[in-house]
Coordinates of all heavy atoms in Angstrom, one line a residue:
V23 N 0.8 -1.2 0.0 CA 0.0 0.0 0.0 C 0.9 1.2 0.0 O 1.7 1.4 0.9 CB -0.9 0.0 1.2 CG1 -1.8 1.3 1.2 CG2 -1.8 -1.2 1.3
V24 N 0.7 2.1 -1.0 CA 1.3 3.4 -1.0 C 0.3 4.4 -0.5 O -0.8 4.5 -1.0 CB 1.8 3.8 -2.4 CG1 2.1 5.2 -2.6 CG2 3.0 2.9 -2.8
V25 N 0.7 5.2 0.5 CA -0.2 6.2 1.1 C 0.4 7.6 0.8 O 1.5 7.9 1.3 CB -0.3 6.0 2.6 CG1 -1.2 7.1 3.3 CG2 -0.9 4.6 2.9
G26 N -0.4 8.4 0.1 CA 0.1 9.7 -0.3 C -0.6 10.8 0.6 O -0.2 11.9 0.5
T27 N -1.7 10.4 1.3 CA -2.4 11.4 2.2 C -1.5 11.8 3.3 O -0.8 10.9 3.9 CB -3.7 10.7 2.7 OG1 -4.4 10.2 1.6 CG2 -4.5 11.8 3.4
T28 N -1.5 13.0 3.6 CA -0.6 13.5 4.7 C -1.6 13.9 5.9 O -2.8 13.7 5.9 CB 0.1 14.8 4.3 OG1 -0.8 15.8 3.9 CG2 1.1 14.5 3.2
G29 N -0.9 14.3 7.0 CA -1.7 14.7 8.2 C -1.8 13.7 9.3 O -2.6 13.8 10.2
W30 N -1.0 12.6 9.2 CA -1.0 11.5 10.2 C 0.3 11.2 10.8 O 0.6 10.2 11.4 CB -1.7 10.2 9.6 CG -1.0 9.7 8.4 CD1 -1.1 10.2 7.1 CD2 -0.2 8.6 8.3 NE1 -0.4 9.5 6.2 CE2 0.2 8.4 6.9 CE3 0.3 7.6 9.2 CZ2 1.0 7.4 6.4 CZ3 1.1 6.6 8.7 CH2 1.5 6.5 7.3
N31 N 1.2 12.2 10.7 CA 2.6 12.0 11.2 C 2.6 11.6 12.7 O 3.5 10.8 13.1 CB 3.4 13.3 11.1 CG 3.9 13.5 9.7 OD1 3.6 12.8 8.8 ND2 4.7 14.6 9.5
S32 N 1.7 12.1 13.5 CA 1.7 11.8 14.9 C 1.3 10.4 15.2 O 1.5 9.9 16.4 CB 0.8 12.7 15.7 OG -0.6 12.5 15.2
R33 N 0.9 9.6 14.2 CA 0.4 8.3 14.5 C 1.3 7.2 13.7 O 0.9 6.1 13.5 CB -1.1 8.1 14.1 CG -1.9 9.2 14.8 CD -3.4 9.0 14.5 NE -4.0 7.8 15.1 CZ -5.3 7.5 15.0 NH1 -6.1 8.3 14.4 NH2 -5.7 6.4 15.6
M34 N 2.5 7.6 13.4 CA 3.4 6.7 12.7 C 3.7 5.4 13.5 O 3.7 4.3 12.9 CB 4.7 7.4 12.3 CG 4.6 8.5 11.2 SD 4.3 7.8 9.6 CE 4.2 9.3 8.7
Q35 N 4.0 5.6 14.8 CA 4.3 4.4 15.6 C 3.1 3.5 15.7 O 3.3 2.3 15.6 CB 4.7 4.9 17.0 CG 6.1 5.6 17.0 CD 6.5 5.9 18.4 OE1 5.7 5.9 19.4 NE2 7.8 6.2 18.6
E36 N 1.9 4.0 15.7 CA 0.7 3.2 15.8 C 0.6 2.4 14.5 O 0.2 1.2 14.5 CB -0.5 4.1 16.0 CG -1.8 3.4 16.0 CD -3.0 4.4 16.2 OE1 -2.8 5.5 16.5 OE2 -4.1 4.0 15.9
V37 N 0.8 3.0 13.4 CA 0.7 2.4 12.1 C 1.8 1.3 11.9 O 1.5 0.2 11.4 CB 0.8 3.4 10.9 CG1 0.9 2.7 9.6 CG2 -0.4 4.3 11.0
A38 N 3.0 1.6 12.4 CA 4.1 0.6 12.3 C 3.7 -0.6 13.1 O 4.0 -1.7 12.7 CB 5.4 1.3 12.8
A39 N 3.2 -0.4 14.3 CA 2.8 -1.5 15.1 C 1.7 -2.3 14.5 O 1.7 -3.6 14.5 CB 2.3 -1.0 16.5
L40 N 0.7 -1.7 13.8 CA -0.4 -2.3 13.2 C 0.1 -3.1 12.0 O -0.3 -4.3 11.7 CB -1.4 -1.3 12.7 CG -2.7 -1.9 12.0 CD1 -3.4 -2.8 13.0 CD2 -3.6 -0.8 11.6
A41 N 1.1 -2.6 11.2 CA 1.7 -3.3 10.1 C 2.4 -4.6 10.6 O 2.2 -5.6 10.0 CB 2.7 -2.4 9.4
A42 N 3.1 -4.5 11.7 CA 3.8 -5.7 12.2 C 2.8 -6.7 12.7 O 3.0 -7.9 12.5 CB 4.7 -5.2 13.4
Q43 N 1.7 -6.3 13.2 CA 0.7 -7.2 13.7 C -0.1 -7.9 12.6 O -0.4 -9.1 12.7 CB -0.3 -6.4 14.6 CG -1.5 -7.2 15.1 CD -2.5 -6.3 15.8 OE1 -2.2 -5.2 16.3 NE2 -3.8 -6.8 15.9
T44 N -0.4 -7.2 11.5 CA -1.2 -7.7 10.4 C -0.3 -8.3 9.3 O -0.9 -9.1 8.5 CB -2.1 -6.6 9.8 OG1 -1.3 -5.6 9.3 CG2 -3.0 -6.1 10.9
G45 N 0.9 -8.0 9.2 CA 1.8 -8.4 8.1 C 1.6 -7.5 6.9 O 2.1 -7.9 5.8
G46 N 0.8 -6.4 7.0 CA 0.7 -5.5 5.9 C 1.9 -4.6 5.7 O 2.6 -4.4 6.6
T47 N 2.0 -4.0 4.5 CA 3.2 -3.2 4.3 C 2.7 -1.8 3.7 O 1.9 -1.8 2.8 CB 4.1 -3.9 3.2 OG1 4.4 -5.2 3.7 CG2 5.4 -3.1 3.1
I48 N 3.3 -0.8 4.2 CA 2.9 0.6 3.8 C 4.2 1.3 3.4 O 5.2 1.3 4.0 CB 2.2 1.4 4.9 CG1 0.7 0.9 4.9 CG2 2.3 2.9 4.6 CD1 -0.1 1.8 5.8
M49 N 4.1 2.0 2.3 CA 5.1 3.0 1.8 C 4.5 4.3 1.9 O 3.4 4.6 1.3 CB 5.5 2.6 0.4 CG 6.2 3.7 -0.4 SD 7.9 4.0 0.3 CE 8.3 5.5 -0.7
H50 N 5.1 5.2 2.7 CA 4.5 6.6 2.9 C 5.6 7.6 2.5 O 6.8 7.4 2.6 CB 4.0 6.8 4.3 CG 5.1 7.0 5.3 ND1 5.5 8.2 5.7 CD2 5.9 6.1 5.9 CE1 6.5 8.1 6.5 NE2 6.8 6.9 6.7
S51 N 5.1 8.8 2.2 CA 6.0 9.9 2.0 C 5.2 11.2 2.1 O 4.0 11.2 1.7 CB 6.7 9.9 0.6 OG 7.5 11.0 0.4
A52 N 5.8 12.2 2.7 CA 5.1 13.5 2.7 C 4.9 14.1 1.3 O 4.0 14.8 1.0 CB 5.9 14.5 3.5
N53 N 5.8 13.6 0.4 CA 5.7 14.1 -1.0 C 6.4 13.0 -1.9 O 7.5 12.7 -1.7 CB 6.4 15.4 -1.2 CG 6.1 16.1 -2.5 OD1 6.1 15.5 -3.5 ND2 5.8 17.4 -2.4
F54 N 5.7 12.5 -2.9 CA 6.2 11.5 -3.8 C 7.0 12.0 -5.0 O 7.5 11.2 -5.7 CB 5.1 10.5 -4.2 CG 4.7 9.5 -3.2 CD1 3.7 9.8 -2.3 CD2 5.4 8.3 -3.0 CE1 3.3 8.9 -1.3 CE2 5.1 7.4 -2.0 CZ 4.0 7.7 -1.2
S55 N 7.0 13.3 -5.1 CA 7.7 13.9 -6.2 C 9.2 13.5 -6.2 O 9.9 13.7 -5.1 CB 7.6 15.4 -6.2 OG 8.6 16.0 -7.0
I56 N 9.8 13.0 -7.3 CA 11.2 12.7 -7.3 C 12.0 14.0 -7.1 O 13.0 14.0 -6.3 CB 11.6 12.1 -8.7 CG1 10.7 10.8 -8.9 CG2 13.1 11.7 -8.7 CD1 10.8 9.8 -7.9
G57 N 11.6 15.1 -7.6 CA 12.3 16.4 -7.4 C 12.3 16.8 -6.0 O 13.3 17.3 -5.5
V58 N 11.2 16.6 -5.3 CA 11.1 17.0 -3.9 C 12.1 16.1 -3.1 O 12.8 16.6 -2.1 CB 9.7 16.9 -3.3 CG1 9.7 16.8 -1.8 CG2 8.9 18.1 -3.8
N59 N 12.2 14.9 -3.4 CA 13.1 14.0 -2.6 C 14.5 14.3 -2.9 O 15.4 14.1 -2.0 CB 12.8 12.5 -2.9 CG 11.5 12.1 -2.2 OD1 11.6 11.6 -1.0 ND2 10.4 12.2 -2.8
M60 N 14.9 14.8 -4.1 CA 16.2 15.4 -4.3 C 16.4 16.6 -3.5 O 17.5 16.9 -2.9 CB 16.4 15.6 -5.8 CG 16.6 14.4 -6.6 SD 17.1 14.7 -8.3 CE 15.7 15.3 -9.1
F61 N 15.4 17.5 -3.4 CA 15.4 18.7 -2.6 C 15.7 18.4 -1.2 O 16.5 19.1 -0.5 CB 14.1 19.5 -2.8 CG 14.0 20.8 -2.2 CD1 14.9 21.9 -2.6 CD2 13.2 21.1 -1.1 CE1 14.8 23.1 -2.1 CE2 13.1 22.4 -0.5 CZ 13.9 23.4 -1.0
Y62 N 15.1 17.4 -0.6 CA 15.4 17.0 0.8 C 16.8 16.8 1.0 O 17.4 17.3 2.0 CB 14.7 15.7 1.1 CG 13.2 15.7 1.2 CD1 12.4 14.5 1.0 CD2 12.5 16.8 1.6 CE1 11.1 14.5 1.2 CE2 11.1 16.8 1.7 CZ 10.4 15.7 1.5 OH 9.0 15.6 1.6

């Protein structure tokens, strides 16, 4: 699952725990633009 929606930074640990529990996998980014990731 790729998640592009923002606004849930404060719940990252909760999501990581849920992923470990369910075996699901998430790829997240504040911005998926290749240019933005170079800017970082």
Side-chain angles (χ1 to χ4, degrees):
V23 180
V24 165
V25 177
T27 309
T28 58
W30 54 285
N31 280 8
S32 63
R33 304 184 70 176
M34 290 289 180
Q35 290 184 342
E36 179 184 342
V37 172
L40 184 60
Q43 177 186 338
T44 61
T47 308
I48 281 187
M49 163 68 187
H50 76 96
S51 177
N53 192 314
F54 280 95
S55 161
I56 304 302
V58 162
N59 282 272
M60 289 191 285
F61 185 66
Y62 289 156

